[in-house]
Amino acid sequence: KIAEVAEVTPTPTKTIVETKTPANSKESITVSVSLSDKFKNKVNPTDIVFIYAKAMSGPPMPLAAAKIQVKDLPVDVVLNDSMAMIPTMKLSAHTEVVVGARVSKSGQPVSQNGDLYTEKRSIKLSSKVSLLIDQIK
C-alpha cells in the first residue's frame, strides 16, 4: 500500500537584479536574504531593508546597495557596480568585501539602535552568500 504524501509548496524567493550586468558576472555578488523567525513579530511588512556590500576597510559608504521592503523577503539580490553609491567607489575594485542586510526601523540608510541586521566579512566577488537577519543593533 502506498501512503499519500501531502504536497508542500515552498515560499517563493523573489530575485532582484537592478542592472544590465549578468547575474553571474565576476564583478557581482549574489545575496540571499531572509529574516529570522524570532524577529517576524518585530517588523512591519513595509519596513525598509537595505542589502549592501562595503569595503573591508576604509569609508563606511556601501560600494553597492539595494533597498527593498520586509514583505519582499526572502529575496535574492545581485549587487554590482551599477548599484554604486559613489561612481568612483566600485565593487569591482575590491577582491573581498563585507556583505550585510539591515531592517531599518526608521527607514533611513544610517544604522540606528533597534535596527535588525546581519553581516558577513571576507566575501569574494562572484560569490553567492546567504544572510539571515538575526541580530539587533
Side-chain angles (χ1 to χ4, degrees):
K1 199 172 191 182
I2 299 174
E4 289 185 31
V5 178
E7 286 189 34
V8 177
T9 305
T11 304
T13 299
K14 300 168 190 77
T15 300
I16 297 176
V17 180
E18 297 179 7
T19 178
K20 292 181 172 59
T21 302
N24 62 354
S25 168
K26 291 185 170 134
E27 299 167 347
S28 67
I29 297 173
T30 302
V31 186
S32 297
V33 182
S34 57
L35 180 66
S36 171
D37 288 340
K38 69 181 178 182
F39 289 145
K40 290 192 175 173
N41 63 349
K42 296 184 186 293
V43 296
N44 294 314
T46 56
D47 284 348
I48 300 297
V49 180
F50 293 99
I51 302 161
Y52 57 86
K54 60 185 182 179
M56 293 285 291
S57 61
M61 177 68 70
L63 301 168
K67 178 178 159 183
I68 63 166
Q69 292 183 320
V70 166
K71 67 183 178 187
D72 297 323
L73 295 174
V75 68
D76 287 342
V77 176
V78 178
L79 299 175
N80 61 41
D81 285 349
S82 74
M83 303 161 119
M85 313 288 356
I86 299 174
T88 57
M89 290 178 55
K90 297 198 178 285
L91 183 64
S92 61
H94 299 265
T95 55
E96 291 186 337
V97 296
V98 176
V99 177
R102 184 172 49 80
V103 177
S104 172
K105 299 306 282 177
S106 68
Q108 298 302 311
V110 177
S111 179
Q112 297 182 8
N113 286 338
D115 285 354
L116 310 176
Y117 75 100
T118 189
E119 278 190 348
K120 288 189 178 177
R121 299 183 62 77
S122 300
I123 304 300
K124 295 184 185 313
L125 294 189
S126 76
S127 296
K128 180 171 173 120
V129 62
S130 295
L131 297 178
L132 177 64
I133 299 171
D134 62 355
Q135 300 173 61
I136 298 177
K137 178 170 169 88

